[in-house]
Amino acid sequence: MNFCEECGAKLTPNTRFCEECGSPITQYENTVESAKDFNISDYLTVFQTSNWISNFLSMIDDCDDETGIIFTNIQLLANELSVSEDELLELIADFISDRKNHGVSYFLLDVSNNVINTKVKDVDSHILLLEKVVHKKCPIYLFILGSDKIIPVEYYEDRTGYDNNISSDLPYTTLDKSSPWKNKKYDFKNSMRVGRLPTFKNESFNDFKTYFENIKFCTINNRQIVEAGLAAKQWVNTSNIWFDKIANKKVLTSPQLDKFSAIQNIGTEKNLLYFNLHGAE
């Protein structure tokens, strides 16, 4: 994030003058020059080339940004969203370019088209695929696109008594399928921060694009963050520990709130929502 050298105000990306004090932004010309050197095709194709290792290491070593992997199966995701692969890749390329302007360099790892491993079907093989990347240079973020039909999830026995099992992306954080119930010790300090944008049944491509459009809107307009959290009652203590990192308030709880009263209590003005629920209506 850039700040004005004169007054310290936060700057809108690519602005020439500070919106608070009017001072010229001296770094603007350098920003434009560096943008010219950014080749989006490298970020989309690095894992499709036989020399991906050297290219990947070189690109990460040369960039000052935080780094991340977009992890998906373009062929399956495009089919699920009823859109061409080229249109989907264009959306991802635009997202990569936008994030690059805000200090995060993402690289697309397409499970359906890469030279690392072309037969990826289950969680184990996905982990092996990621290990080959992480062991070279561990990115900070792993952004999974699609439902469990696109990138599979692991299922663990549910010890809460609500369901038979719990679906989880934990193995993509730890690169280990061991059950968290078996006193497994994980090294979270040296693991990727994993998030998933799941697709849903009969989702349109326009629905899917809305998420990325919202990111741009929030970034450009520097919207004030208004938080709300909702957690299962038995997980309220842990949830408040995490929610406290982003909000100066406590989470609401379920089943005290149901799917109708939750809407009324949370309100539509909230734009950063934290949920820690499982098996709840």
Side-chain angles (χ1 to χ4, degrees), residues 116-176:
I116 308 171
N117 186 338
T118 56
K119 297 180 180 179
V120 180
K121 295 182 179 180
D122 53 23
V123 174
D124 285 312
S125 358
H126 282 74
I127 290 175
L128 289 174
L129 179 57
L130 287 172
E131 280 182 336
K132 294 182 180 181
V133 177
V134 170
H135 287 170
K136 304 303 175 185
K137 195 80 172 181
C138 185
I140 296 176
Y141 307 110
L142 182 72
F143 185 18
I144 302 173
L145 298 184
S147 67
D148 58 346
K149 295 179 181 179
I150 311 302
I151 298 293
V153 299
E154 182 61 23
Y155 290 92
Y156 297 115
E157 178 188 358
D158 180 15
R159 296 295 180 88
T160 66
Y162 284 96
D163 283 318
N164 292 328
N165 50 46
I166 297 175
S167 59
S168 175
D169 283 326
L170 179 64
Y172 296 123
T173 299
T174 61
L175 300 183
D176 186 337

Side-chain angles (χ1 to χ4, degrees), residues 162-163 230 232 254-255 257-263 277-281:
Y162 284 96
D163 283 318
L230 180 60
S254 173
L257 298 185
D258 58 25
K259 61 185 177 183
F260 301 107
S261 60
I263 295 174
L277 302 162
H278 175 241
E281 293 244 342

Side-chain angles (χ1 to χ4, degrees), residues 21 25 31 41 62 83 103 113 126 129 188 198-199 204 215 232 237 278:
C21 69
I25 307 304
T31 302
S41 64
D62 288 345
V83 67
N113 187 7
H126 282 74
L129 179 57
F188 287 116
T199 45
S204 71
I215 290 178
N237 291 334
H278 175 241

Side-chain angles (χ1 to χ4, degrees), residues 42 45-62 107:
D42 292 336
T45 60
V46 63
F47 297 114
Q48 296 174 20
T49 59
S50 57
N51 56 339
W52 73 268
I53 296 176
S54 58
N55 287 348
F56 180 60
L57 292 177
S58 175
M59 292 176 72
I60 285 192
D61 288 341
D62 288 345
F107 300 83

Side-chain angles (χ1 to χ4, degrees), residues 4 7 40 51 57 66 87 90 97 114 165 214 234 255 269:
C4 175
C7 69
I40 192 67
N51 56 339
L57 292 177
E66 294 184 330
E87 286 180 278
E90 184 179 350
S97 179
N114 66 81
N165 50 46
N214 285 343
Q234 65 267 36
E269 79 283 1

